[in-house]
Amino acid sequence: MKKGFWLEPRSIVAMAVCLLALAEIVDLTIVAVAIPHIMGALGCNIQEVSLVTTSYIVAAAVFIMTTGFVSSRLGGKKTILLSTLVFGISSVLCGFASSLNEMVIFRLIQGVGGAFLPSMAQGYIVGNFNEEEQPKMMSIMTLTVVLGPIIGPLAGGYLVNAYSWRCIFFVNVPICLAAFLIVFFWMKETVTTKVNFDSISFAFMAIGVGSLEYFI
């Protein structure tokens, strides 16, 4: 591996998209510790507030399977930028939510935006690094997957106790902003291809996967 490898634009972009993937994974668990505070603020019971977590998981599970289609049609760079934008804006909206219905809707949008990020991070590493370099970069990606569920409750507990439950959503904003700028300026444009989309199959898949996730 040549000298200055970690300072190359492609390496910096890879670490930025891995950080986005970490933010998406952390959001799966960070809300759990804030449930009592969210219940009090939004005036809902434990059954109703569970939708705040479930809506995010269901949306992410459904739309992660469309990553290949979306990235082929839009290109990897535009897919990451759009996902980051949706994820960041919806995080802010979650933080400002004043009712349970608003929170559930914004969490659904957040799940859709974040669904593409882990897959796009892995795809970028595979497509931009050779066989010798990939293990180094994939180790960073592996850390995001392993540490995400651990960091979520710890970070959530600290933010809730030290500041407010709304901060668990606002913390995504600087991450999304920094990663968006890095990807925008340093990531190369990728080739797009026309891929047919079977909307009927996707509808049945969304119903099936969404129902399974909701049931579990």
Side-chain angles (χ1 to χ4, degrees), residues 1-203:
M1 189 175 294
K2 59 185 179 180
K3 187 177 180 180
F5 169 78
W6 296 106
L7 297 178
E8 293 181 5
R10 58 178 181 147
S11 298
I12 297 174
V13 170
M15 288 185 280
V17 292
C18 284
L19 187 61
L20 287 171
L22 176 63
E24 191 275 337
I25 296 171
V26 165
D27 263 45
L28 290 170
T29 56
I30 196 171
V31 175
V33 296
I35 288 297
H37 299 270
I38 296 176
M39 288 171 56
L42 302 184
C44 53
N45 57 41
I46 189 64
Q47 286 78 21
E48 294 171 334
V49 80
S50 65
L51 292 174
V52 174
T53 301
T54 306
S55 58
Y56 181 91
I57 296 174
V58 170
V62 170
F63 281 89
I64 194 173
M65 291 179 284
T66 65
T67 303
F69 167 78
V70 175
S71 61
S72 296
R73 292 294 296 269
L74 299 180
K77 181 175 182 177
K78 290 181 180 178
T79 300
I80 294 174
L81 290 175
L82 182 59
S83 298
T84 304
L85 190 64
V86 172
F87 186 76
I89 292 175
S90 58
S91 295
V92 174
L93 293 175
C94 287
F96 284 118
S98 58
S99 68
L100 179 64
N101 291 335
E102 288 182 3
M103 176 65 80
V104 172
I105 292 173
F106 296 150
R107 283 286 283 176
L108 277 169
I109 299 173
Q110 190 184 35
V112 174
F116 304 99
L117 298 175
S119 299
M120 293 305 301
Q122 295 182 42
Y124 181 81
I125 291 172
V126 172
N128 290 272
F129 297 89
N130 58 39
E131 294 182 356
E132 179 186 355
E133 298 166 336
Q134 282 182 18
K136 294 287 186 181
M137 300 309 302
M138 287 304 296
S139 64
I140 297 177
M141 185 64 205
T142 302
L143 281 175
T144 66
V145 175
V146 173
L147 294 179
I150 300 174
I151 294 175
L154 294 175
Y158 171 76
L159 291 172
V160 168
N161 290 322
Y163 302 100
S164 167
W165 65 269
R166 298 183 185 276
C167 291
I168 65 176
F169 300 109
F170 295 147
V171 74
N172 292 327
V173 177
I175 296 175
C176 290
L177 180 60
F180 184 93
L181 293 175
I182 290 172
V183 172
F184 183 82
F185 287 108
W186 285 352
M187 184 175 176
K188 296 179 180 179
E189 294 286 353
T190 50
V191 179
T192 59
T193 57
K194 290 186 177 181
V195 181
N196 294 326
F197 184 74
D198 190 342
S199 56
I200 296 177
S201 296
F202 174 73

Side-chain angles (χ1 to χ4, degrees), residues 202-216:
F202 174 73
F204 280 109
M205 179 192 69
I207 294 171
V209 174
S211 298
L212 178 62
E213 287 285 346
Y214 181 77
F215 172 76
I216 293 175

